[in-house]
Amino acid sequence: MPSTLKALITGITGQDGSYLTEFLLAKGYEVHGIVRRSSSMARPRIDEMTRNAEIYQKKLHLHYADLDDVTTIRRLLLKIQPREVYHLAGQSHVAVSFEVPESTCQFTAMGTLKLLEILRDCDPSPRFLHTGSSEIFGMPASAPQNEQTPLRPVTPYGVAKAFATDMVRVYRDSFGLFACNAICFNHESPRRGESFVTRKITRSAARIKLGLDRKLSMGSVDAQRDWGYAPDFVEAFWRMLQLEKPLDLVLSTGKLHRVRDWLDVAFKHVGLDWQQYVEFDPRFLRKADPQTLVGDSRLAETVIDWKPRVSFEELVQQMVDAELKSLSDLRPPLCS
Ligand code: NDP
C-alpha cells in the first residue's frame, strides 16, 4: 500500500492556502501548514477544517513559523518529509508594498531564497511550487504575457516577486531542484482579503443593497486586470507538481476586465446602478499601475490540461452572493 502523500503549505491561512488545503485533503493528502503566531487564534478561512475532529491533527497539522525562521522551517521539513511544498506565503497586497517595501522584500524575496536554500540540503528534496505574480511584468512591452515575457516590475511587490521567480529558476537549473513558478494573474473568491478592490466592490454592493452603507469610495475605475477564480488556480498548482519535469507556467484567464466591470456586474446583481453610489477618492489611486496585464496560458493548457472554469460574471456574482449571505447571517431575525 502506498505511504500517505504529504504536503507542506506556507500561507495556509490565506485565500489560496485554504482552497489548496481542501483540494489536497480531498485527494487523500496529509497536509501540514505553516502559520504565524499572532495574538488571535482566529483563522477564518481554515476554521471549519480545524474545528473538525476527523481532520484536525489527523490529516491536517499546523506548525508555527515565520517565513524567515529558517531553523524552524528546516526542522519541520526534516521531520515531515513532504513530497510537495507549496510556497504561497507573503505580503500579497501590491499597494501595501509601497508602505512596507522592506518587509515585503524580506518575506517575499528573501523568504523564498531561504526556503530554496533549505530544500537544497534535503535528501530527497521535495517538489516545490512558488506562487509568482503577473506583477513581475509591470509595464510589459507586449500583450498577452507568457513564460518568455521579460520582467519589468514597477512596484516593490513586483520586484520582490521577480527576484523570487528568478531564484526559483536559478535553483532549478543550477542545483536540479524540482522547483516551479506558477506565474499567477489575479484570482479572487469570497475568501479574498477585504482590502482588495474586488472584495471591496462585492462587499459594498451587498451592504448598500441591505441598507448598511450608502456610498462606495473608489480610485480609478478604468484599471484593467485579468481576473480568475482562486479554486481553479490551486488545482493548477497541484497539477504542476505532478509533472515529470519542473517548469514555469503562466496561469490566467486571458481576458481583460476593468474595475468598472466589477461595479457593473456586482451592482446589477443586486438590482442597483453603481453610478449612483460610487464616489471618486484620489487616496485610492495607485502610485504606479501596471498596464495591460493579461496572460497567455496556452502552455498550461497543453502541459497540465488546465483551463479556468468559472467565468468573470459567475465569479463576481458568487462573491456578491457570499457577502449577502454572511451579512444576512449576522442580522438579527425580524420580529413578527
Ligand atoms: P493572502 O494574502 O490571502 O495570503 C497570504 C498568506 O501568507 C497568509 O496565510 C499569511 O498569513 C501568509 N504570510 C504573510 N506573511 C507571512 C510571513 N512573514 N510568515 C508566514 N506567513 C506569512 O494571499 P493569496 O492566498 O491571495 O495569495 C497566495 C500567494 O499567491 C501570495 O504569495 C500572493 O502574493 C500570490 N499571488 C496571488 C494572487 C491573487 O490574485 N490572489 C496573484 C498573484 C500572486 P496570515 O494569515 O498570518 O496573514
Side-chain angles (χ1 to χ4, degrees):
M1 193 161 149
S3 60
T4 314
L5 284 171
K6 293 184 194 173
L8 177 71
I9 303 177
T10 73
I12 192 168
T13 53
Q15 170 187 255
D16 293 4
S18 62
Y19 285 118
L20 181 61
T21 303
E22 289 166 7
F23 179 86
L24 294 175
L25 288 173
K27 287 223 167 279
Y29 278 70
E30 179 179 306
V31 177
H32 293 257
I34 289 180
V35 293
R36 293 192 277 189
R37 163 86 183 106
S38 83
S39 60
S40 157
M41 292 299 283
R43 299 185 185 114
R45 297 183 181 107
I46 59 168
D47 272 353
E48 209 177 304
M49 290 179 277
T50 54
R51 284 199 201 109
N52 184 335
E54 297 292 307
I55 294 178
Y56 190 48
Q57 293 186 338
K58 293 197 174 79
K59 301 170 192 164
L60 170 63
H61 307 263
L62 298 181
H63 311 271
Y64 283 122
D66 218 297
L67 257 191
D68 62 355
D69 192 346
V70 175
T71 46
T72 308
I73 295 180
R74 184 186 296 275
R75 193 182 314 123
L76 285 173
L77 273 162
L78 291 175
K79 191 173 142 208
I80 299 164
Q81 303 220 334
R83 176 182 189 264
E84 294 159 23
V85 173
Y86 296 87
H87 175 39
L88 316 180
Q91 194 292 99
S92 67
H93 202 287
V94 178
V96 171
S97 76
F98 284 97
E99 311 300 324
V100 289
E102 207 174 315
S103 64
T104 299
C105 291
Q106 180 188 345
F107 293 117
T108 298
M110 289 307 292
T112 304
L113 174 57
K114 286 173 185 180
L115 268 179
L116 289 165
E117 270 293 285
I118 300 172
L119 294 184
R120 205 178 136 190
D121 293 339
C122 292
D123 186 19
S125 174
R127 295 174 170 225
F128 179 77
L129 181 127
H130 164 246
T131 44
S133 163
S134 54
E135 294 280 327
I136 62 178
F137 301 126
M139 298 285 184
S142 60
Q145 295 84 45
N146 63 21
E147 294 77 9
Q148 310 307 325
T149 304
L151 312 193
R152 293 169 70 181
V154 294
T155 63
Y157 172 86
V159 170
K161 283 287 186 191
F163 173 94
T165 302
D166 275 342
M167 276 300 176
V168 168
R169 289 178 183 155
V170 168
Y171 274 64
R172 178 173 67 218
D173 296 344
S174 306
F175 302 115
L177 292 188
F178 192 112
C180 310
N181 287 301
I183 304 171
C184 301
F185 283 63
N186 292 46
H187 45 279
E188 318 294 313
S189 75
R191 297 184 196 169
R192 188 60 143 151
E194 285 169 18
S195 58
F196 288 84
V197 69
T198 52
R199 179 83 193 277
K200 183 174 152 182
I201 291 170
T202 51
R203 191 173 157 79
S204 176
R207 288 182 65 83
I208 291 174
K209 176 68 184 174
L210 296 178
L212 298 170
D213 280 336
R214 288 205 201 140
K215 289 283 174 199
L216 166 63
S217 299
M218 296 283 302
S220 167
V221 296
D222 289 318
Q224 301 182 84
R225 288 290 183 282
D226 175 334
W227 277 290
Y229 180 54
D232 284 346
F233 280 59
V234 303
E235 179 170 351
F237 299 167
W238 175 78
R239 287 183 183 221
M240 286 177 73
L241 290 196
Q242 311 316 309
L243 285 169
E244 264 179 38
K245 287 188 181 160
L247 84 176
D248 299 340
L249 290 177
V250 160
L251 303 177
S252 65
T253 71
K255 295 187 179 117
L256 266 182
H257 287 96
R258 290 185 189 276
V259 169
R260 63 171 67 240
D261 298 329
W262 276 87
L263 290 162
D264 209 30
V265 179
F267 278 74
K268 247 188 211 143
H269 192 53
V270 292
L272 300 175
D273 173 5
W274 68 269
Q275 313 247 23
Q276 294 182 11
Y277 301 95
V278 172
E279 55 193 15
F280 174 68
D281 186 335
R283 284 179 305 153
F284 294 113
L285 288 176
R286 281 272 187 91
K287 290 188 177 56
D289 201 21
Q291 300 296 313
T292 333
L293 285 182
V294 58
D296 169 1
S297 282
R298 277 177 297 175
L299 190 57
E301 193 177 337
T302 309
V303 299
I304 58 167
D305 191 21
W306 180 81
K307 258 187 169 182
R309 280 190 283 245
V310 172
S311 73
F312 178 77
E313 285 74 17
E314 285 168 329
L315 166 62
V316 181
Q317 289 167 2
Q318 188 191 122
M319 287 175 67
V320 175
D321 287 340
E323 299 293 351
L324 286 169
K325 181 167 183 321
S326 80
L327 290 168
S328 312
D329 289 349
L330 289 176
R331 278 150 73 102
L334 291 174
C335 299
S336 53

